[in-house]
């Protein structure tokens, strides 16, 4: 009797292998390990620092707000400079310096907290240093990855990074809460410092690349980045879309959500469940994206941003916890699709020599209105009502997605190269599993 093979099983094995192929590239694998450790520490740090400030003399809710605002403002101020230096010196060099800065800031804060000698003004100063490091690191992230994997695997690499971020957002706060319960908030901050240390080692182990980007004056370099950014209608339109989403919908959701959860859904544990399911949705969607290569990635990215309106809509409609949690799950899935695909498009279409500056303008534009939205959410909700404010944000998001997709440069993006003639969710073009990166910086992106 002859045994016959089972093609479906073999097909599944090949699919699983293909989806994890990006991990075969040692530079990217090294970077992913460092980034995973760093993000986990970052996910823990917000909880650790918040509880530390609440408990110290002169602390309290107002002090927590000042610490958070100081870090965010430092990030926004430094972003453009980070983009310029990324293109001048290479992504690896700037990111390495940024993580050394963050390691130093969190290490110093941990010592102050563990010795019970920290004062609020010291925490604020170190939060600014942390924000400077974050602002320097961020533009390099988009610029570095194309130099670690082949172009065909960029979507998978970004999906893995998105999964890592989502896992950290779920696991980080939980681990921080556990450590605070059994030890001290200073331990949490110390773990965050160690995470940055691991990232420093990972970045230091990446090979260097030869940079060919010419250097000019600071304003000349910024002007070139701005020209590259504004010359692509699809780029500035989608950036503006995300910026207004953060201002009109997401900031009110983050501010009003906890209060509404306390009033209607069961308190802090219910809100924690909502945020956890958002992260889980992002993880699941990131896993589903592995091995996929949507031919019109920008269109899918914008369309997916509709999902961000779901949890706010559920709260505005006064739905029970189960519905709000399910909406958050779908919103997290939408976030993974949107972030992964738009990052991949930018990496593929922006020239390597200006990728850092363009990424900086993109990040600055996307998040610049966020702090203002957070500050206005409470006062405006007192005037119009929390449910109405969230409902208006939902209507804005639905309308904005339709308007953005109506732009020809967005709607037709991906058609001119002929890639949109097939399945929108086709797998990447077939390539030998033995393919390897000839150079860690084959695309010229960063160090």
């Amino acid at each position: 009797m002859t045994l016959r093979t089972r093609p479906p099983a073999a097909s599944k094995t090949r699919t699983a292998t293909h989806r994890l192929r990006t991990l075969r590239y040692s530079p990217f694998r090294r970077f992913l390990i460092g980034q995973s450790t760093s993000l986990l520490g970052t996910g823990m740090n917000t909880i650790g620092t918040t509880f530390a400030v609440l408990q110290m003399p002169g602390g309290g809710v107002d002090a927590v707000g000042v610490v958070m605002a100081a870090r965010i403002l430092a990030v926004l101020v430094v972003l453009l400079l980070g983009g310029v230096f990324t293109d001048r010196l290479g992504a690896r060099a700037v990111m390495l310096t940024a993580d050394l800065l963050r390691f130093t800031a969190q290490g110093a804060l941990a010592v102050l907290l563990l010795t019970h000698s920290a004062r609020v003004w010291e925490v604020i100063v170190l939060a600014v240093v942390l924000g400077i490091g974050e602002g320097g690191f961020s533009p390099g992230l988009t610029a570095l990855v194309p130099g670690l994997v082949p172009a065909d695997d960029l979507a998978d690499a970004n999906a893995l990074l998105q999964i890592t971020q989502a896992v950290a957002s779920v696991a980080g706060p939980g681990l921080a809460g556990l450590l605070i319960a059994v030890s001290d908030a200073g331990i949490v901050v110390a773990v965050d410092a160690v995470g940055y240390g691991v990232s420093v080692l990972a970045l230091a182990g990446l090979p260097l690349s030869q940079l060919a980007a010419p250097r000019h004056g600071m304003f000349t370099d910024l002007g070139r980045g701005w020209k590259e950014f504004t010359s692509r209608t699809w780029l500035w339109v989608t950036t503006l879309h995300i910026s207004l989403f953060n201002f009109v919908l997401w900031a009110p959701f983050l501010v009003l959500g906890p209060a509404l959860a306390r009033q209607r859904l069961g308190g802090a544990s219910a809100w924690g469940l909502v945020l956890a399911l958002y992260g889980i949705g992002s993880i699941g969607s990131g896993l589903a994206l592995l091995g996929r290569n949507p031919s019109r990635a920008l269109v899918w990215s914008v369309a997916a941003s509709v999902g961000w309106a779901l949890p706010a809509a559920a709260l505005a409609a006064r739905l029970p916890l189960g519905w709000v949690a399910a909406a958050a799950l779908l919103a997290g899935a939408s976030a993974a699709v949107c972030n992964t695909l738009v990052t991949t498009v930018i990496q593929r279409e922006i020239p390597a020599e200006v990728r850092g500056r363009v990424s900086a303008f993109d990040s600055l534009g996307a998040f610049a209105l966020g702090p203002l939205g957070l500050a206005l959410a409470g006062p405006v909700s007192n005037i119009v009502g929390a449910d109405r404010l969230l409902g208006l944000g939902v209507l804005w998001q639905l309308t904005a997605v339709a308007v953005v997709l109506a732009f020809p440069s967005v709607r037709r993006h991906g058609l001119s190269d002929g890639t949109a003639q097939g399945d929108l969710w086709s797998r990447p073009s077939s390539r030998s599993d033995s393919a390897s990166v000839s150079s860690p910086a084959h695309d010229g992106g960063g160090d």
Side-chain angles (χ1 to χ4, degrees):
M1 182 176 180
T2 304
L3 295 176
R4 298 194 301 178
T5 59
R6 300 176 62 185
S11 176
K12 290 180 180 179
T13 300
R14 286 194 297 270
T15 298
T17 301
H18 175 81
R19 291 185 176 185
L20 296 176
R21 184 177 62 190
T22 308
L23 295 177
R24 296 177 60 183
Y25 307 122
S26 60
F28 177 74
R29 189 170 63 246
R30 179 189 294 271
F31 174 68
L32 183 65
I33 292 172
Q35 184 72 349
S36 301
T37 310
S38 174
L39 286 173
L40 181 61
T42 300
M44 299 171 63
N45 176 60
T46 300
I47 302 296
T49 302
T50 297
F51 276 90
V53 173
L54 288 173
Q55 295 169 2
M56 68 178 54
V61 175
D62 291 343
V64 170
V66 173
V67 170
M68 291 184 174
R71 183 185 66 82
I72 293 173
L73 289 175
V75 171
L76 295 177
V77 168
V78 173
L79 263 174
L80 294 182
L81 290 177
V84 170
F85 285 115
T86 292
D87 291 333
R88 284 186 175 187
L89 307 175
R92 172 187 173 274
V94 177
M95 294 168 75
L96 184 59
T97 303
D99 267 355
L100 281 170
L101 197 62
R102 295 197 284 184
F103 169 75
T104 302
Q106 291 304 87
L109 180 58
V111 170
L112 291 173
L113 293 177
L114 290 173
T115 57
H116 304 287
S117 60
R119 290 169 288 184
V120 172
W121 72 266
E122 293 171 327
V123 180
I124 294 172
V125 170
L126 291 173
V128 170
V129 177
L130 184 68
I132 291 172
E134 187 175 343
F137 186 93
S138 181
L141 185 60
T142 300
L144 179 73
V145 175
L148 304 180
V149 299
D152 286 349
D153 289 326
L154 271 177
D156 281 359
N158 290 321
L160 285 171
L161 290 170
Q162 179 68 34
I163 292 169
T164 296
Q165 183 174 6
V167 170
S169 71
V170 175
L175 289 174
L178 180 61
L179 285 175
I180 291 174
V182 301
S183 58
D184 187 271
I187 296 294
V188 175
V189 177
V191 171
D192 186 28
V194 171
Y196 288 127
V198 173
S199 181
V200 166
L201 294 176
L203 288 166
L206 296 180
L208 294 170
S209 64
Q210 185 176 1
L211 296 173
R215 299 186 186 186
H216 304 287
M218 182 68 67
F219 290 106
T220 301
D221 283 346
L222 283 174
R224 168 75 192 284
W226 177 250
K227 181 179 180 180
E228 293 285 348
F229 176 78
T230 56
S231 67
R232 295 165 172 81
T233 302
W234 62 266
L235 180 55
W236 66 258
V237 165
T238 53
T239 300
L240 179 62
H241 170 51
I242 299 302
S243 180
L244 292 175
F245 152 74
N246 281 320
F247 176 67
V248 176
L249 177 61
W250 201 241
F253 174 74
L254 292 178
V255 171
L256 302 177
L260 295 177
R262 184 177 59 186
Q263 294 173 12
R264 308 170 187 169
L265 304 179
S269 60
W271 185 244
L273 175 64
V274 170
L275 295 182
L277 284 174
Y278 180 92
I280 292 171
S282 187
I283 294 169
S285 184
L287 290 171
L289 281 171
L290 292 175
R292 303 287 182 178
N293 187 26
S295 54
R296 297 181 67 190
L298 187 65
V299 172
W300 279 102
S301 175
V302 174
S305 67
V306 168
W308 278 330
L310 295 177
L315 282 177
R318 295 176 174 262
L319 296 179
L321 176 60
W323 286 100
V324 178
L329 183 74
L330 294 175
S334 299
V337 173
C338 184
N339 294 335
T340 299
L341 296 185
V342 75
T343 299
T344 303
V345 171
I346 291 174
Q347 289 169 337
R348 286 175 173 167
E349 299 197 13
I350 303 301
E353 64 271 14
V354 294
R355 199 175 285 143
R357 280 165 286 175
V358 170
S359 175
F361 278 113
D362 177 55
S363 296
L364 182 62
F367 298 110
L369 294 179
L372 181 60
L374 293 171
L376 292 176
V380 174
S381 70
N382 290 333
I383 298 173
V384 304
D387 293 338
R388 184 170 296 177
L389 180 58
L390 290 175
L392 290 173
V394 170
L395 290 177
W396 169 270
Q397 183 67 3
L398 298 178
T399 303
V401 170
V403 170
V404 172
L405 289 175
F407 275 80
S409 61
V410 175
R411 186 178 67 253
R412 298 173 183 172
H413 193 276
L415 288 173
S416 59
D417 58 3
T419 58
Q421 302 303 315
D423 181 10
L424 285 176
W425 285 98
S426 60
R427 298 191 182 281
S429 56
S430 58
R431 194 157 58 91
S432 169
D433 284 340
S434 62
S436 61
V437 183
S438 58
S439 169
H442 65 90
D443 197 32
D447 269 354

